[in-house]
Amino acid sequence: MRYMMSYDLMETVRNANQWFGATALSMASYPAFAALPNPMLSWMAAWGQVTERSFERMVAKPDWGIPATTLPDGKDHLVEVDTVVEKPFGDLIHFRVTDRAEQPRKVLVVAPMSGHYATLLRSTVKSLIENCEVYVTDWHNARDIPVSAGKFDVEDYTLYLVDFMRELGPDTHVVAVCQPAPLTLAATAYLAEIDPKAQPSSLTLIGGPVDPDATPTDVTDFGHRVTMGQLEQTMIQRVGFKYKGVGRAVYPGLLQLASFMSMNMDRHSKAFSEQILRVSRGEATDHDAHNRFYDEYLAVMDMPAEFYLSTVERVFKNREIAKNEFTVQGHKVDIGKITDVAVKTVEGAKDDISAPGQCIAALDLCTGLPDSKKASHVEPDAGHYGIFAGRSWRNNIRPLVIDFMDANTRKSSRKRPSKTAAK
């Protein structure tokens, strides 16, 4: 009960701040005040508008916002999101472009479960839709999953990826972005042993902590500095009475957001101060750069407590994947069993979250893979976000990844997956 009240207290604080913003906007926008040329009223209305929008976004799942894409025929084609596999903690979704022939490249983008929704990869997906059939792991907010659905830890995450790869078939190219890189590598190795025919054609790991100790960062230092008991006592709470997952132990999204913001508080404070001034001067728009970024950045989701704690303990502290000692349901996963899946790593030279060296460690673990099926790329001047979104991704990294896929495509006689309900 103590933790449930703490969870509800955070939600109450968020809701109160949203209300304060809405109240300030309403009061300062009272029509009679238009006769008073006081800049403080404009500033108060701007503060209220920015505050209300910011705290409202924290509990809203963003839309993918990909209504259409322009193809070589010069026409705009609608993009529809279909659910291929439905599971309690996450779905496999497909971005189907209407009135377009099936593309030869089938790409599975493994989104991170690290506090933000899969929509954080919106620009990545949009760039791949042009000439690929794109599938994405769409993880659910833990607060909306009933306790009856059971637990979800790193082993369950790995088995989800195994099921998704099996569903899509061996002609799939898998792209794991950030946090899921080591678990996606483990899932591929698991398939190599128990179902070799279901292995994907290629595996691209982007900025992931395969070996966190290869190049220490603030993130890895934090993982070593705190004990598991401290994490469980300070970070884990139980979902409050407002949501379907009432009673489920989670790492709350609001708590994660507070940690994200504290890492760069000066930059975020400056960004919001400047946005308030722009709104007060009438220079801001609903979809300006600030709102596009923070509408996504502020939208956070609760993470299952088992997944968060097991990630810290097994991936960062014990380095089970880096040491090739990872087990799934009692079965030891041997990454050296990967012999037929081309593996490429992508890192950013200025990545301060998963620094260069952490991801490329995957290639050394693939002892059964010939050098001809290994590749790596370090993008100069790119940070963590830039290696899967933005100019660096579009102009430099994406073409390299597409070429890597084309050079390592395995043919399959399977048809495109149909909608199924996986139990």
Side-chain angles (χ1 to χ4, degrees):
M1 180 64 71
R2 174 168 61 94
Y3 292 115
M4 295 168 73
M5 293 304 293
S6 297
Y7 188 97
D8 283 338
L9 180 60
M10 287 196 302
E11 172 61 20
T12 299
V13 172
R14 184 210 62 79
N15 197 36
N17 278 281
Q18 180 182 339
W19 178 84
F20 287 143
T23 301
L25 175 61
S26 299
M27 293 293 293
S29 302
Y30 186 65
F33 289 161
L36 303 174
N38 191 334
M40 284 302 298
L41 292 174
S42 298
W43 183 90
M44 181 178 174
W47 177 86
Q49 178 179 324
V50 173
T51 301
E52 179 188 16
R53 184 186 184 113
S54 299
F55 283 94
E56 181 182 24
R57 293 300 186 270
M58 294 178 186
V59 290
K61 181 180 180 179
D63 187 77
W64 279 98
I66 310 177
T69 184
T70 303
L71 299 182
D73 60 8
K75 299 179 181 179
D76 288 342
H77 293 250
L78 295 178
V79 178
E80 298 184 0
V81 181
D82 296 332
T83 300
V84 179
V85 178
E86 185 175 359
K87 285 174 169 286
F89 289 88
D91 300 337
L92 176 64
I93 60 176
H94 174 221
F95 292 85
R96 178 170 56 86
V97 181
T98 59
D99 300 324
R100 183 182 76 168
E102 183 174 355
Q103 297 299 293
R105 301 186 197 91
K106 186 190 299 180
V107 180
L108 168 61
V109 179
V110 182
M113 181 186 279
S114 56
H116 286 100
Y117 291 93
T119 52
L120 189 68
L121 304 180
R122 183 183 296 104
S123 60
T124 311
V125 171
K126 288 177 67 174
S127 69
L128 291 172
I129 281 179
E130 298 175 7
N131 51 15
C132 302
E133 294 295 336
V134 181
Y135 297 79
V136 176
T137 57
D138 189 23
W139 305 111
H140 298 165
N141 194 330
R143 74 184 181 203
D144 299 321
I145 306 172
V147 176
S148 58
K151 70 172 182 65
F152 189 80
D153 58 14
V154 289
E155 293 187 18
D156 298 306
Y157 188 105
T158 304
L159 291 175
Y160 265 48
L161 298 185
V162 168
D163 289 344
F164 293 158
M165 291 182 193
R166 277 175 166 164
E167 178 71 22
L168 295 180
D171 57 337
T172 306
H173 300 279
V174 179
V175 178
V177 180
C178 187
Q179 169 260 333
L183 298 181
T184 307
L185 180 66
T188 305
Y190 186 79
L191 273 177
E193 293 187 72
I194 66 170
D195 194 359
K197 293 183 179 180
Q199 295 178 91
S201 294
S202 72
L203 175 61
T204 301
L205 308 176
I206 301 179
V210 176
D211 184 1
D213 285 0
T215 311
T217 63
D218 290 341
V219 176
T220 59
D221 289 344
F222 173 79
H224 289 302
R225 190 169 60 249
V226 299
T227 67
M228 296 307 300
Q230 288 174 326
L231 283 178
E232 188 168 2
Q233 288 297 318
T234 59
M235 302 296 184
I236 304 304
Q237 296 185 8
R238 294 192 180 274
V239 177
F241 298 98
K242 182 179 178 180
Y243 300 102
K244 293 181 179 179
V246 54
R248 175 176 291 280
V250 297
Y251 178 26
L254 293 178
L255 196 57
Q256 296 177 66
L257 180 60
S259 300
F260 295 153
M261 300 287 282
S262 65
M263 293 175 65
N264 295 284
M265 185 57 69
D266 292 341
R267 186 173 66 183
H268 292 302
S269 298
K270 181 180 179 182
F272 279 97
S273 298
E274 292 177 348
Q275 180 69 0
I276 292 172
L277 291 176
R278 283 192 292 269
V279 173
S280 66
R281 295 194 296 260
E283 299 172 356
T285 62
D286 193 50
H287 298 290
D288 57 26
H290 177 94
N291 286 330
R292 286 200 309 271
F293 175 78
Y294 280 102
D295 282 355
E296 190 71 48
Y297 186 80
L298 296 176
V300 288
M301 56 186 287
D302 296 345
M303 193 187 308
E306 316 88 51
F307 179 77
Y308 171 70
L309 295 175
S310 60
T311 297
V312 174
E313 183 175 22
R314 300 181 63 177
V315 176
F316 285 88
K317 284 183 174 292
N318 298 342
R319 298 173 58 240
E320 290 185 16
I321 293 179
K323 296 177 180 179
N324 200 18
E325 298 175 352
F326 188 67
T327 59
V328 175
Q329 292 185 336
H331 175 83
K332 183 181 181 300
V333 178
D334 184 3
I335 299 175
K337 296 294 185 180
I338 299 177
T339 60
D340 196 34
V341 180
V343 179
K344 182 183 183 70
T345 62
V346 177
E347 298 176 316
K350 295 185 177 180
D351 190 341
D352 58 352
I353 295 178
S354 183
Q358 293 187 14
C359 192
I360 198 174
L363 300 183
D364 292 333
L365 293 171
C366 297
T367 55
L369 197 64
D371 291 340
S372 60
K373 284 188 171 291
K374 297 179 182 180
S376 63
H377 174 72
V378 178
E379 181 67 17
D381 301 323
H384 187 70
Y385 189 79
I387 54 179
F388 62 87
R391 187 180 299 109
S392 293
W393 162 259
R394 291 193 306 270
N395 298 341
N396 303 330
I397 300 174
R398 179 187 177 278
L400 294 176
V401 172
I402 293 295
D403 290 342
F404 183 72
M405 294 176 182
D406 291 342
N408 296 279
T409 297
R410 186 184 297 120
K411 300 300 181 181
S412 173
S413 59
R414 291 184 55 179
K415 295 181 180 180
R416 179 189 299 178
S418 58
K419 296 181 181 179
T420 61
K423 297 184 180 179

